[in-house]
Amino acid sequence: MLDTVGRLLGEARDWPERELRVTAVEARAGEVEAFDARSGVKLLEAVAASCAVPVVWPPVTVAGRRWMDGGSRSTANLQLAVGSRRVLAIVPIPLAVGPHPSAADQAARLTEDGARVTLLSPDEDARRAMGRTMADTARGPAAARAGYEQALRVVTEVADTWGR
């Protein structure tokens, strides 16, 4: 798994200077963790843990604990933005798995707490272009075009969230 993720990361082996948090779920306790540059975990390990989708990839050991995909518990993990004034959430899969709140429910909670939230998920055209199988790389170019077209339609909304 680390080799595969390493090839995908290419030269990007160090945490970027800008804030980046990568979520994973501790496999035994179900706790969500947001790894970042201060967590003492290498970027490669954090990304591999976050990519360990159950049934597709086994959990990844990081810092002596077993971790799996952060989307296993929530496809958005917007609870990590509590206390933020502005939130731009890009959520490819907006519906939760199991009893967990959807991205829209999580965004509503942030809004209730006073945050300005823009939630972006694939629109109908993008979902059609992506298809049902997220791993279908043949659909990549069409999905990218649909995403670009959607971005052109929401650029003002995103700019408004950031207070232009």
Side-chain angles (χ1 to χ4, degrees):
M1 173 75 164
L2 289 175
D3 289 340
T4 301
V5 172
R7 281 192 303 278
L8 294 171
L9 285 176
E11 299 295 319
R13 296 299 177 103
D14 296 321
W15 287 96
E17 289 185 27
R18 295 182 70 180
E19 180 69 22
L20 172 64
R21 291 186 278 175
V22 178
T23 59
V25 173
E26 201 278 333
R28 188 173 300 247
E31 300 166 0
V32 175
E33 179 71 34
F35 297 116
D36 63 15
R38 297 172 301 281
S39 66
V41 170
K42 295 176 183 174
L43 177 62
L44 173 63
E45 294 172 325
V47 172
S50 186
C51 290
V53 177
V55 184
V56 178
W57 294 99
V60 173
T61 302
V62 176
R65 297 169 75 188
R66 303 285 285 163
W67 299 92
M68 61 187 186
D69 175 28
S72 299
R73 188 163 179 272
S74 168
T75 60
N77 286 304
L78 296 183
Q79 76 281 1
L80 298 171
V82 167
S84 298
R85 292 185 356 223
R86 296 177 294 193
V87 177
L88 172 61
I90 302 170
V91 184
I93 305 171
L95 297 177
V97 176
H100 306 294
S102 69
D105 291 340
Q106 293 176 53
R109 285 194 193 123
L110 292 175
T111 301
E112 289 169 5
D113 289 342
R116 189 175 200 171
V117 180
T118 297
L119 176 62
L120 298 179
S121 294
D123 62 14
E124 186 177 332
D125 291 339
R127 285 192 311 272
R128 190 177 310 111
M130 291 165 51
R132 292 187 180 270
T133 306
M134 297 283 288
D136 184 355
T137 57
R139 293 180 165 273
R145 282 190 298 279
Y148 178 78
E149 292 298 323
Q150 181 180 354
L152 293 175
R153 290 190 295 276
V154 300
V155 68
T156 301
E157 180 184 357
V158 171
D160 286 347
T161 296
W162 293 109
R164 286 199 257 190

